[in-house]
């Protein structure tokens, strides 16, 4: 299999179409009969293609109708996703830059950021709706699909690896026309979330619409969930247990999570995307000596729920829930001892290298932080100094935003 795979990967002198007609050496040097791609068993071709990088797969869709059909099949897409999830070579970092209130995208290899002395970045185009975008945020990413919020209310699902995208239909909520809200002098905000419903094999967007009264306090809510499978929004009633504090829900274990705005602020609320059921997770006691809860921010780190607890401007504890849903499994894994550029600056932990270094977005720059000796090294880019508005790790995949 290695001879066949290497032949496919390194054959550059002919066109892709010619490749499908070329002869490949047989596994045995004593076998005089030539072996062609068309004569290979279907399962063997599939196993070879699963191991190819994304750029090769996208090219090989043009080899033949049968290869195109194979690579586009849901069975192959899921098998490819399972294969690449076990490899770090398919992970990339998407960097959102803000220049004069317009937002631009670059991406680069995660392994290059972690281990190379300098990193090359590549400009990447937005989905073909409008560009450059204004007021762009990333709601979340899952299985290579990225959910983008534009001007707070327009949602786009996008796979940057395949360049496929889909604009999610309007929420269909007109608060000023809703009789539940007509007697209130209000403003409202929307907290979004994005994730995967494994039971129904469905990627979903959640919108928590919170009404704010004239005292600036949340006073009502409605939750709607969009299914890419049915292409419809469904209302599931009020948000339970409080109101979301974070702008975006964090997806872990089939559920979206938000810190809760309530009198007892020591809880995280969850929404199960499969069942529509709500739950609560108790936060850890970040400071045993303090009677009040420390200010904390919710993230996902190493596939687990993660809380960053700020003790002061140069001391941030990082906690993760090692066993989902088990309060006792909250563990402080390291402390970030870095002076923040400003009080409004935040740390965003992206991933951890095999050496134990942590890739952080610190303010507007990417850094590698070593928790063992509290040292910090700025990431070096070859092309230019990059000031990041947002950055996150995603996996290259074939998953389509259109079911």
């Amino acid at each position: 299999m290695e001879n066949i795979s290497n032949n496919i990967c390194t054959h550059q002198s002919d066109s892709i179409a010619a490749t499908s007609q070329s002869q490949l050496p047989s596994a045995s040097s004593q076998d005089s009969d030539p072996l062609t791609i068309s004569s290979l068993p279907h399962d063997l071709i599939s196993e070879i293609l699963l191991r190819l990088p994304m750029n090769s797969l996208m090219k090989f869709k043009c080899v033949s109708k049968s290869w195109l059909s194979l690579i586009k099949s849901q069975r192959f897409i899921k098998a490819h996703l399972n294969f690449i999830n076990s490899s770090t070579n398919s992970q990339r970092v998407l960097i959102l830059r803000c220049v004069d209130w317009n937002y631009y995208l670059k991406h680069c290899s995660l392994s290059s950021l972690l281990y190379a002395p300098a990193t090359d970045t590549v400009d990447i185009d937005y989905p073909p709706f409008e560009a450059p975008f204004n007021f762009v945020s990333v709601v979340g990413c899952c299985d290579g699909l990225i959910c983008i919020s534009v001007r707070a209310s327009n949602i786009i699902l996008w796979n940057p690896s395949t360049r496929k995208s889909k604009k999610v239909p309007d929420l269909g909520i007109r608060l000023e026309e809703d009789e539940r809200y007509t007697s209130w002098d209000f403003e409202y905000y929307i907290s979004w979330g994005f994730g995967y419903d494994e039971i129904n094999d469905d990627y979903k967007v959640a919108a928590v619409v919170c009404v704010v009264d004239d005292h600036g306090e949340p006073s009502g809510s409605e939750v709607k969930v969009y299914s890419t499978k049915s292409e419809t929004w469904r209302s599931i009633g009020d948000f339970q247990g409080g109101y979301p504090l974070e702008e975006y829900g964090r997806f872990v274990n089939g559920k979206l999570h938000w810190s809760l705005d309530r009198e007892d602020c020591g809880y995280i609320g969850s929404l199960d995307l499969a069942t529509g059921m709500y739950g609560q997770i108790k936060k850890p006691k970040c400071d045993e000596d303090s009677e009040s809860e420390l200010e904390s921010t919710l993230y996902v780190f190493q596939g687990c729920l993660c809380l960053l607890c700020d003790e002061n401007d140069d001391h941030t504890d990082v906690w993760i829930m090692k066993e989902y849903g088990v309060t006792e499994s909250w563990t402080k894994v390291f402390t970030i001892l870095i002076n923040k550029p400003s009080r409004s600056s935040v740390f965003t932990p992206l991933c951890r290298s095999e050496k134990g270094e942590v890739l952080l977005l610190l303010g507007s720059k990417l850094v590698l932080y070593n928790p063992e000796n509290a040292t910090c090294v700025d990431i070096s880019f070859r092309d230019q100094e990059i000031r990041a508005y947002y950055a996150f790790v995603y996996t290259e995949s074939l998953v389509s935003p259109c079911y």
Side-chain angles (χ1 to χ4, degrees):
M1 186 186 298
E2 289 182 0
N3 290 341
I4 296 171
S5 178
N6 290 338
N7 194 306
I8 292 177
C9 292
T10 60
H11 192 69
Q12 298 177 347
S13 59
D14 299 322
S15 66
I16 293 172
T19 301
S20 65
Q21 303 301 322
S22 66
Q23 292 185 340
L24 299 174
S26 63
S28 172
S29 60
Q30 297 178 351
D31 189 352
S32 59
D33 294 332
L35 180 64
T36 62
I37 291 179
S38 59
S39 67
L40 292 175
H42 183 274
D43 289 345
L44 181 56
I45 293 176
S46 179
E47 286 298 318
I48 294 171
L49 293 178
L50 280 176
R51 288 157 172 77
L52 298 181
M54 273 296 300
N55 58 348
S56 297
L57 273 179
M58 299 307 294
K59 293 176 182 177
F60 286 175
K61 290 167 68 174
C62 304
V63 168
S64 66
K65 290 183 179 179
S66 63
W67 281 29
L68 173 63
S69 177
L70 170 64
I71 295 171
K72 289 177 64 178
S73 69
Q74 287 299 311
R75 181 178 178 182
F76 183 86
I77 290 172
K78 290 185 182 299
H80 179 259
L81 183 63
N82 290 333
F83 181 80
I84 61 177
N85 278 338
S86 62
S87 169
T88 58
N89 294 331
S90 60
Q91 292 184 305
R92 302 191 67 80
V93 176
L94 195 68
I95 301 170
L96 185 65
R97 299 188 308 126
C98 180
V99 181
D100 296 330
W101 296 105
N102 289 320
Y103 294 79
Y104 302 88
L105 290 172
K106 283 181 172 288
H107 68 140
C108 60
S109 163
L110 174 61
S111 59
S112 176
L113 281 179
L114 295 177
Y115 305 114
T119 298
D120 291 313
T121 62
V122 178
D123 291 321
I124 185 170
D125 292 332
Y126 273 105
F129 295 108
E130 56 177 307
F133 278 22
N134 303 106
F135 306 107
V136 175
S137 296
V138 176
V139 174
C141 59
C142 181
D143 295 342
L145 287 183
I146 297 171
C147 183
I148 298 175
S149 166
V150 184
R151 300 188 188 94
S153 59
N154 298 305
I155 296 295
I156 297 169
L157 300 181
W158 174 47
N159 185 328
S161 302
T162 63
R163 304 298 196 267
K164 299 294 185 182
S165 59
K166 173 187 178 65
K167 190 174 188 300
V168 173
D170 186 81
L171 262 177
I173 294 178
R174 295 289 182 270
L175 296 183
E176 64 274 12
E177 299 173 3
D178 194 313
E179 62 181 10
R180 291 173 298 171
Y181 307 130
T182 51
S183 61
W184 297 351
D185 180 18
F186 65 86
E187 293 182 352
Y188 68 95
Y189 65 90
I190 302 175
S191 181
W192 299 97
F194 174 66
Y196 177 59
D197 169 2
E198 185 175 3
I199 293 177
N200 299 296
D201 186 23
D202 196 1
Y203 292 92
K204 293 181 175 180
V205 179
V208 185
V209 184
C210 297
V211 176
V212 180
D213 62 22
D214 52 6
H215 300 291
E217 298 294 331
S219 54
S221 67
E222 181 178 0
V223 182
K224 300 192 78 173
V225 177
Y226 175 79
S227 159
T228 58
K229 203 170 187 178
S230 66
E231 298 187 308
T232 57
W233 286 100
R234 179 172 68 94
S235 177
I236 59 172
D238 297 337
F239 191 85
Q240 302 295 311
Y243 297 98
L245 276 176
E246 280 91 12
E247 190 175 3
Y248 304 116
R250 310 299 184 182
F251 180 70
V252 173
N253 203 49
K255 302 173 184 177
L256 290 168
H257 302 81
W258 293 266
S259 293
L260 294 177
D261 181 4
R262 51 188 253 183
E263 186 173 345
D264 177 5
C265 60
Y267 285 86
I268 297 167
S270 67
L271 170 62
D272 191 314
L273 289 179
T275 65
M277 301 295 291
Y278 293 93
Q280 293 184 13
I281 295 173
K282 186 170 178 57
K283 292 181 180 180
K285 185 70 174 177
C286 295
D287 185 357
E288 296 293 344
D289 298 327
S290 175
E291 295 183 1
S292 60
E293 293 288 337
L294 291 177
E295 182 178 343
S296 62
T297 309
L298 185 64
Y299 292 99
V300 176
F301 185 64
Q302 297 180 301
C304 301
L305 285 178
C306 169
L307 279 172
L308 269 62
C309 301
D310 293 332
E311 291 207 13
N312 49 57
D313 289 343
D314 61 357
H315 187 125
T316 301
D317 291 329
V318 179
W319 293 72
I320 65 171
M321 177 175 264
K322 290 189 172 183
E323 186 176 349
Y324 182 80
V326 179
T327 303
E328 294 75 19
S329 72
W330 280 111
T331 305
K332 184 169 73 171
V333 287
F334 59 89
T335 299
I336 304 173
L337 300 173
I338 303 176
N339 283 313
K340 293 183 178 181
S342 66
R343 292 190 63 85
S344 61
S345 297
V346 296
F347 297 116
T348 304
L350 301 178
C351 69
R352 196 165 192 172
S353 74
E354 294 177 356
K355 301 176 182 179
E357 295 174 317
V358 181
L359 180 63
L360 294 173
L361 178 61
L362 171 57
S364 61
K365 63 182 181 179
L366 288 165
V367 301
L368 275 178
Y369 176 73
N370 188 334
E372 295 297 323
N373 54 22
T375 57
C376 183
V377 178
D378 292 357
I379 295 292
S380 175
F381 295 97
R382 283 196 178 91
D383 49 359
Q384 59 180 310
E385 180 184 357
I386 293 180
R387 298 180 64 82
Y389 172 74
Y390 193 82
F392 63 94
V393 178
Y394 72 97
T395 299
E396 291 186 301
S397 81
L398 294 165
V399 176
S400 173
C402 307
Y403 191 82

